[in-house]
Amino acid sequence: MGQDDNHWCELGFAEPAVVFKGPTQTARSVTEAWVALHGFCPNCSADRLPQLPNNSPVADFRCDACGEEYELKAKRGKLGPSIPDGAFSTMTARLAAANNPSLFAMSYDLAAARVTDLILVPSHFFTPEIIAARKPLGPHARRAGWQGCNILIGQVPASGRISLIRAGVPAPKVEVRAAWAATRFLRDEGQTARGWLLAVMGAVEAVGRPEFTLAEVYAQEGRLAALYPGNNNVRAKIRQQLQVLRDRGWLAFDGRGRYRRTN
């Protein structure tokens, strides 16, 4: 990833600096070392992502050039629709913080010692709607009462799941950075406003083609109403969000209720 684009397919894991007793610790060390070696910052032109000290409370990597922070979650085998994360209370606090990190979600093939898939979820796609609390640990657990959470990555609009590596094939850095830049306007929105924008972006993507009509987005009114039961005029909200997305360049209005995705 940090090398020339033509060499991205050479994605063997870096050797861990320390040999750990447990397989989980070893895998974490290996995957973090791999990102430190091959990673790049999609927010700027930096081609390296320095690793933060172990047990940093918020993130795993920080770009020296722009300060963007990233967290890495890696698993053996395919990525699923949700990713286990840390404490629910910590995640809730992080959503409102200025340094809420973006997420690298990695899957790897242990036998082949290769990264198979790597996606990036920019921090501006994180809202409370995609964080699900897990059941607290029972009274006899070592950390009784502790409550973790899951990141419902499958509910993130496709625009917020930027593919860096898919089935072992890397994407050009220029495409990754363009995809990041296309939605960076979401950072200018408050958390509630972002939630609505993301919901409507998801509804637009669900149409399944670049050109769509207002009626096709209205067809998902029920799902959006369930997400925001306090809103009694969902169609007006849909129109408002489509206008924002048009003004931000994410889509274009072609007249007579017809729109077109530009990204």
Side-chain angles (χ1 to χ4, degrees):
M1 289 164 51
Q3 301 173 13
D4 184 85
D5 290 347
N6 293 329
H7 298 291
W8 276 20
C9 290
E10 300 171 8
L11 298 174
F13 285 116
E15 291 296 327
V18 179
V19 176
F20 295 95
K21 294 181 179 179
T24 300
Q25 286 182 310
T26 300
R28 180 174 178 84
S29 175
V30 169
T31 54
E32 287 183 352
W34 186 92
V35 173
L37 179 64
H38 298 289
F40 68 94
C41 181
N43 188 56
C44 69
S45 59
D47 284 335
R48 285 289 182 269
L49 280 179
Q51 192 169 353
L52 291 168
N54 289 337
N55 300 316
S56 295
V58 175
D60 299 312
F61 305 91
R62 180 187 293 122
C63 176
D64 284 342
C66 69
E68 191 72 24
E69 296 186 351
Y70 302 88
E71 180 181 14
L72 172 66
K73 295 293 181 182
K75 65 167 293 187
R76 182 179 178 181
K78 293 184 178 180
L79 295 170
S82 68
I83 297 176
D85 203 67
F88 177 68
S89 58
T90 302
M91 172 59 82
T92 302
R94 277 170 48 188
L95 288 178
N99 65 338
N100 183 37
S102 298
L103 174 69
F104 285 124
M106 174 194 290
S107 66
Y108 58 89
D109 182 332
L110 186 62
R114 291 175 64 87
V115 176
T116 53
D117 291 276
L118 181 64
I119 64 174
L120 169 65
V121 181
S123 62
H124 42 274
F125 279 86
F126 281 84
T127 62
E129 289 79 13
I130 69 164
I131 306 302
R134 297 203 300 267
K135 183 179 179 181
L137 297 180
H140 303 296
R142 183 171 60 87
R143 293 188 294 170
W146 184 86
Q147 185 176 31
C149 69
N150 292 325
I151 301 172
L152 305 180
I153 196 169
Q155 295 186 17
V156 175
S159 296
R161 287 177 276 133
I162 303 171
S163 182
L164 281 74
I165 301 171
R166 179 178 296 166
V169 179
K173 286 185 286 185
V174 65
E175 291 183 7
V176 172
R177 285 174 167 142
W180 172 283
T183 62
R184 204 178 188 283
F185 67 86
L186 290 166
R187 294 193 176 188
D188 298 333
E189 305 292 338
Q191 195 175 90
T192 301
R194 262 194 300 130
W196 262 107
L197 281 170
L198 293 177
V200 172
M201 288 170 73
V204 168
E205 291 175 348
V207 174
R209 60 181 186 279
E211 297 83 13
F212 62 95
T213 66
L214 181 59
E216 288 175 310
V217 183
Y218 278 166
Q220 299 183 62
E221 180 181 2
R223 182 177 66 83
L224 297 176
L227 284 174
Y228 297 97
N231 189 294
N232 297 318
N233 198 346
V234 174
R235 290 196 172 195
K237 196 69 175 179
I238 289 173
R239 292 194 300 272
Q240 179 192 61
Q241 302 311 298
L242 289 175
Q243 182 173 334
V244 172
L245 292 171
R246 181 202 65 185
D247 293 345
R248 295 294 198 167
W250 193 77
L251 55 80
F253 179 56
D254 291 336
R256 296 187 178 183
R258 302 192 67 83
Y259 293 83
R260 172 172 39 87
R261 285 276 311 277
T262 58
N263 294 294

